[in-house]
Amino acid sequence: HGGTNLTRDAGLTLIPDLIEVVTWIVTGAKLATAPLRISGPGMDRVTRALQPELDVLRAMGVRLELGSDHLIVHPAEALRPVRFVVASHGVYSDAQPLLALLACHAAGRSEIKEMVWTSRFGYADGLRSLGASLSIEGATLIIDGPCVPQRPDQVIGAPDLRAAAALLLAALGVTGCTVISGAHHLERGYDRFLPQLRALGANVELVSGPD
C-alpha cells in the first residue's frame, strides 16, 4: 500500500550472479591449467537454479564438484558436441554465448536453438574473425568443431554484455593481440572481472579512445 514507511532494519544475503558463475565455469574448463574454485554464499542455490546449464556442461564433458558454498571446475581435456534449446524455462539466453564458445572446442557439430532473444548471436561474427566455424540458420546457431578461436591480431566488436564476455574469453586463448570494442559492457555485468582474470594470469587491459 502506498505511503508505507520502511523503518525497520533488515539484512539480506544475495547469492552470486548466475551468469557470472557460468562465465567462470567456462573460464575454468578451457583456460585454467588447474582446477578453479568458485566460492560464494548460497552456491547450492545457484547450482539448483543453473541445473539446465549444468546438464549441458556435463553432457559436453565438463567435470564439476559442487559444495554448499563453492564449486570446483576441472580443466576439460576433450569436449563433446551438444544440441540444446534456449527457452524461458530452460537454459538462460544469457548463458548461450558462453556455452557456444565452449562448443567451439568440441569435436563434432553442436546446435543451439534460441527461442528467447533471436538477436543473441551478435557474438558470432567476432568468433568467426578469430577462426571459429559458425553458421546461423533461422534461430539456430551451428558450430562445426573443433574450431578453436586462434587467429591473432583481430579487431572485433562486442554488441552486448554476454558477447563481450564470450569474446574476451575467446581472445584470451589466442596467441597474439586481440582488440575488442564494446568492452565497456562488462562493467555493468561483472564485479572485478578483469582484475580477477589478471590474478589468474591473463594479459588484458581496458583502454578508452575516440572509437
Side-chain angles (χ1 to χ4, degrees):
H1 297 281
T4 300
N5 292 320
L6 304 180
T7 58
R8 288 179 294 179
D9 293 336
L12 177 64
T13 300
L14 299 177
I15 64 172
D17 179 83
L18 298 179
I19 307 304
E20 187 169 6
V21 171
V22 173
T23 303
W24 285 115
I25 291 174
V26 172
T27 302
K30 286 316 298 178
L31 289 177
T33 57
L36 179 64
R37 182 186 177 101
I38 305 167
S39 301
M43 191 61 73
D44 52 343
R45 287 186 287 158
V46 171
T47 54
R48 287 197 298 272
L50 288 176
Q51 196 59 55
E53 286 77 10
L54 297 187
D55 288 343
V56 171
L57 288 162
R58 290 193 181 99
M60 296 180 77
V62 177
R63 187 159 69 93
L64 303 169
E65 296 179 44
L66 309 181
S68 60
D69 64 350
H70 71 277
L71 64 84
I72 297 173
V73 189
H74 292 267
E77 297 181 0
L79 291 175
R80 297 181 291 270
V82 288
R83 290 176 170 84
F84 63 91
V85 176
V86 175
S88 56
H89 295 291
V91 173
Y92 286 111
S93 183
D94 277 42
Q96 64 98 333
L98 300 155
L99 298 174
L101 171 60
L102 208 54
C104 290
H105 295 260
R109 171 167 286 194
S110 293
E111 297 183 6
I112 302 173
K113 187 172 185 179
E114 173 65 62
M115 302 297 291
V116 177
W117 185 23
T118 54
S119 299
R120 178 64 81 180
F121 297 136
Y123 60 88
D125 286 342
L127 288 182
R128 286 194 201 99
S129 295
L130 295 174
S133 178
L134 309 177
S135 60
I136 300 172
E137 295 183 4
T140 301
L141 179 73
I142 299 171
I143 304 166
D144 288 308
C147 54
V148 179
Q150 56 187 355
R151 187 179 296 152
D153 304 321
Q154 299 298 303
V155 179
I156 56 180
D160 58 66
L161 167 59
R162 305 309 172 186
L167 292 175
L168 173 56
L169 295 185
L172 289 177
V174 176
T175 301
C177 181
T178 304
V179 177
I180 305 172
S181 64
H184 62 279
H185 291 298
L186 296 170
E187 296 179 352
R188 63 182 176 84
Y190 292 93
D191 178 33
R192 299 180 294 109
F193 189 35
L194 298 189
Q196 290 184 87
L197 285 172
R198 292 190 196 102
L200 293 173
N203 184 0
V204 57
E205 181 181 3
L206 181 64
V207 298
S208 59
D211 56 355

